[in-house]
Amino acid sequence: MPPVFWIGLGIAATIFFIGVVSGAKARTASVGTGAAIGAFLGVMLAFPLLAIGLATS
């Protein structure tokens, strides 16, 4: 896999982790909600890098 794929995967994982932590600390949300939102936002933000990395492999 090209390095650009791993950069995109790292961005997605970081945003997922931030979503989990913020969901765990929130009073009105849960860890599951934070994980779901973090996964969605992480994949959406990193999608161009993931797509380029998969297309050039």
Side-chain angles (χ1 to χ4, degrees):
M1 289 288 179
V4 71
F5 174 79
W6 298 112
I7 293 169
L9 193 64
I11 291 170
T14 302
I15 294 174
F16 172 76
F17 181 69
I18 290 170
V20 169
V21 170
S22 64
K25 288 187 167 238
R27 291 183 182 174
T28 59
S30 65
V31 175
T33 304
I37 292 172
F40 177 75
L41 290 177
V43 170
M44 290 297 114
L45 288 172
F47 182 77
L49 296 175
L50 294 171
I52 291 170
L54 288 173
T56 58
S57 64

